[in-house]
């Protein structure tokens, strides 16, 4: 029952008069309230600011500090008031909770200070009213994330007796812990850059001898590029194997996004080694080389910004998915309309609905 | 040639503002003391509780029903609360002010048996024509049974209210004319021991 409604109890009892003349048997006697005592004003002195309220207001919530006998510990005999050495601004919300039955969270208040006050006065935060609950939950989550980040930063303390494997894993995850780790970090970064550059330069037409037509550099200096590629892939393989060895949970590591990117980056090379002379599948082989471009994603380990971009995409995946879905719907609708609109004329490019997809997509994305 | 009177929109806007911000201040404490049988302290406690739940100073029917159903969560107390509201709202303005409330309570808790029975008769007489018909009584009975909800022992059947009304009329309607007048009602209740004893229960409730 809400706190204030208890004051209407005499009314509810009196309204029972409606039943009396029609009742078949005599009514039971109402229970007497033995604890009845005169209502008195209580003075709560919070760091010098005096709040006053009725005793019955505080008694509404007997499982909090102010509603129970716990407040007697703070009673000052000389001044006949209860003294609390706490923040008077936060106390306002707490006292309002007793008065109105609703706990509000003021926006200007720091979340951890507010939580501490609630804990001190024995009020559980779950009863925060709907008006302020969203705000409270959001701030709490942000605070927890900030604490988590701080904790992660503070893990640099040297832990004694780490096994070789654990040291290696720490070196991989936090490059600034030791010089070796830093060197490793920069070396891998350098080789990723080299690898991506070679992939790009392979396709540039080099200056040709007058007899031959322009050839891409890759075909002119095949040996050189092959050696570069081999070197990079060797470094990447060694790195992947070392990480796999050092990982605390190998299964977890193999399922993580970064390791999948690593595997996809070095796979095409090995497949290429295996099937060099098979002409039938050389087309597929060429396609596989496209996967080499994924090496550029290996930079995510080196760049926090890229990782944040990845997390952002992941967190709004459902919204992006919905965008894709609604675009698809629109494309299908308009392609169908275009197809049936042009069905009559003979020299039309919209020979089928999928054929009109291209037109619709190009028009909807304003490419024209 | 404009025959329409000047538009009274500014006034009506003000009226609307006044209506939406209904506030009511009760008569002074001394006047209420004179009108009711409560002393100052009791009136102060009653008013504080009243104002806490209804800061605007008046209770409308919905708030009334809401408060009442919080005391009887197991059934549907809204019909009975509706009848109660009409009984409290003596000046029929659609809202119960503190004076109405406290005068009603004064009769119910501190009045003589005659006054209480009078008030009960007023509650039953829905159209306030001075006599209770079987239909009115049936409505009241159904409202009371609805309020009890399904948690009664023994379990009630659907025609229990009707049977109860028959018993009531058999007891109260002395001249068998199908209606119960105020005199028949008061007479019969004063002769019934159970009812008399129940009326004494209210004396210490505040």
């Amino acid at each position: 029952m809400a706190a204030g409604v208890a004051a209407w109890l005499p009314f509810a009892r009196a309204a029972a008069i409606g039943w009396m003349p029609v009742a078949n048997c005599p009514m039971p006697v109402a229970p007497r309230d033995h604890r009845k005592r005169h209502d008195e004003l209580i003075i709560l002195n919070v760091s010098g600011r005096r709040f006053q309220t009725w005793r019955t207001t505080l008694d509404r919530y007997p499982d909090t500090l102010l509603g129970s006998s716990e407040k007697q510990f703070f009673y000052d005999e000389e001044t006949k008031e209860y003294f609390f050495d706490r923040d008077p601004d936060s106390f306002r919300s707490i006292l309002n909770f007793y008065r109105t039955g609703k706990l509000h969270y003021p926006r200007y208040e720091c979340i951890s200070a507010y939580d501490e006050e609630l804990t001190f006065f024995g009020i559980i935060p779950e009863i925060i009213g709907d008006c302020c609950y969203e705000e409270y939950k959001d701030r709490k989550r942000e605070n927890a994330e900030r604490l988590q980040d701080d904790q992660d930063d503070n893990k640099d303390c040297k832990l004694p007796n780490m096994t070789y494997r654990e040291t290696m894993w720490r070196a991989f995850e936090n490059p600034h812990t030791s010089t070796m780790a830093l060197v490793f970090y920069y070396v891998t970064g350098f080789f990723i850059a080299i690898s991506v550059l070679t992939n790009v330069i392979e396709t540039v037409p080099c200056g040709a001898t007058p007899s031959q037509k322009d050839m891409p550099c890759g075909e002119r200096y095949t040996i050189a590029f092959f050696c570069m590629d081999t070197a990079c892939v060797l470094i990447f393989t060694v790195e992947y194997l070392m990480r796999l060895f050092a990982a605390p949970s190998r299964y977890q590591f193999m399922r993580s996004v970064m390791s999948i990117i690593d595997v996809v980056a070095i796979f095409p090379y090995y497949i290429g080694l295996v099937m060099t002379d098979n002409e039938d599948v050389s087309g597929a082989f060429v396609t596989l080389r496209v996967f080499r471009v994924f090496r550029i994603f290996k930079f995510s380990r080196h760049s926090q910004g890229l990782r944040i971009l990845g997390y952002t995409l992941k967190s709004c995946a459902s919204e992006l998915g919905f965008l894709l879905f609604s675009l698809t719907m629109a494309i299908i609708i308009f392609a169908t309309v275009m197809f049936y609109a042009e069905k009559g004329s003979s020299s039309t490019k919209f020979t089928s609905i999928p054929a009109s997809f291209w037109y619709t997509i190009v028009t909807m994305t304003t490419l024209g | 040639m404009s025959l329409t009177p000047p538009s009274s929109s500014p006034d009506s806007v003000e009226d609307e503002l006044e209506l939406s911000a209904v506030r009511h201040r009760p008569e002074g404490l001394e006047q209420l003391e004179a009108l009711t049988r409560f002393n100052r302290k009791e009136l102060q406690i009653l008013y504080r509780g009243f104002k806490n739940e209804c800061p605007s100073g008046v209770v409308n029917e919905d708030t009334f029903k809401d408060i009442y159903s919080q005391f009887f969560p197991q059934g549907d107390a809204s019909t009975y609360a509706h009848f109660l509201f009409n009984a409290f709202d003596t000046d029929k303005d659609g809202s119960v002010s503190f004076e109405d409330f406290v005068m009603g309570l004064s009769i119910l808790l501190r009045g003589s048996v005659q006054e209480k029975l009078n008030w009960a008769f007023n509650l039953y007489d829905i159209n306030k024509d001075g006599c209770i018909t079987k239909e009115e009584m049936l409505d009241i009975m159904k409202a009371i049974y609805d309020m009890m909800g399904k948690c009664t022992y023994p379990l009630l059947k659907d025609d229990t209210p009707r049977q109860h009304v028959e018993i009531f009329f058999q007891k109260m309607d002395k001249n068998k004319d199908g209606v119960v007048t105020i005199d028949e009602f008061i007479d019969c209740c004063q002769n019934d021991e159970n009812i008399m004893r129940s009326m004494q229960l209210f004396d210490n409730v505040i």
Side-chain angles (χ1 to χ4, degrees), chain A residues 73-91:
Chain A
F73 287 100
F74 300 92
Y75 189 67
D76 186 355
E77 299 290 345
E78 288 162 38
T79 49
K80 297 257 182 293
E81 58 189 23
Y82 294 87
F83 179 74
F84 297 97
D85 198 9
R86 311 290 300 183
D87 184 13
D89 290 326
S90 315
F91 191 72

Side-chain angles (χ1 to χ4, degrees), chain A residues 1-2 4-5 7-22 24 26-29 36 54 60, chain B residues 48-50 52-53 64 68 70-71 80 84 88 101 108 116 123-124 137 147 164 194-195 198 201-202 205-206:
Chain A
M1 200 186 296
V5 176
W8 288 66
L9 191 57
F11 153 72
R13 286 187 178 152
I17 195 172
W19 319 337
M20 306 230 163
V22 296
N24 292 330
M27 305 282 291
V29 184
K36 256 185 129 29
W54 296 110
R60 281 183 198 155
Chain B
R48 273 187 237 133
F50 184 86
N52 222 358
E53 199 60 26
F64 203 82
Y68 203 69
Q70 292 197 35
F71 287 102
Y80 188 66
L84 266 182
F88 267 98
F101 179 70
L108 288 174
K116 288 181 193 170
L123 174 69
Y124 296 148
M137 201 59 226
M147 191 169 56
H164 207 143
N194 278 342
I195 298 181
S198 315
L201 288 175
F202 288 115
V205 178
I206 176 65

Side-chain angles (χ1 to χ4, degrees), chain B residues 1 9 15-16 28 33 40 44-45 47 78 80 99 104 121 128 137 141 143 151 159 166 176 180 194-195 204:
Chain B
M1 180 167 80
S9 26
D15 282 343
E16 285 211 14
E33 250 186 300
R40 274 183 91 89
Q44 281 178 337
I45 296 176
Y47 187 67
S78 52
Y80 188 66
E99 289 98 336
F121 185 84
K128 314 281 179 253
M137 201 59 226
M141 201 64 78
C151 320
D159 59 346
E166 291 300 325
K176 303 284 174 250
V180 176
N194 278 342
I195 298 181
N204 295 318

Side-chain angles (χ1 to χ4, degrees), chain B residues 72-126:
Chain B
F72 296 96
Q74 73 273 17
D76 176 24
S78 52
T79 335
Y80 188 66
H82 168 74
F83 293 132
L84 266 182
F85 185 81
N86 285 337
F88 267 98
D89 185 16
T90 41
D91 51 3
K92 298 281 163 281
D93 60 354
S95 58
V96 169
S97 66
F98 184 63
E99 289 98 336
D100 297 334
F101 179 70
V102 99
M103 285 200 287
L105 272 190
S106 161
I107 297 176
L108 288 174
L109 300 177
R110 302 280 163 94
S112 66
V113 174
Q114 178 92 359
E115 288 173 338
K116 288 181 193 170
L117 288 173
N118 219 334
W119 202 93
F121 185 84
N122 199 27
L123 174 69
Y124 296 148
D125 186 10
I126 298 175

Side-chain angles (χ1 to χ4, degrees), chain A residues 43-108:
Chain A
I43 304 178
L44 300 163
N45 183 349
V46 183
S47 302
R49 206 189 292 181
R50 279 183 178 73
F51 297 86
Q52 292 180 322
T53 182
W54 296 110
R55 178 179 289 277
T56 44
T57 312
L58 293 181
D59 286 343
R60 281 183 198 155
Y61 298 100
D63 51 355
T64 57
L65 186 153
L66 291 173
S68 63
S69 55
E70 196 182 341
K71 61 177 182 280
Q72 300 302 335
F73 287 100
F74 300 92
Y75 189 67
D76 186 355
E77 299 290 345
E78 288 162 38
T79 49
K80 297 257 182 293
E81 58 189 23
Y82 294 87
F83 179 74
F84 297 97
D85 198 9
R86 311 290 300 183
D87 184 13
D89 290 326
S90 315
F91 191 72
R92 261 189 343 110
S93 336
I94 292 177
L95 196 51
N96 275 335
F97 165 62
Y98 287 91
R99 290 182 184 136
T100 59
K102 294 199 205 92
L103 181 61
H104 294 285
Y105 169 61
R107 273 160 211 255
Y108 58 79

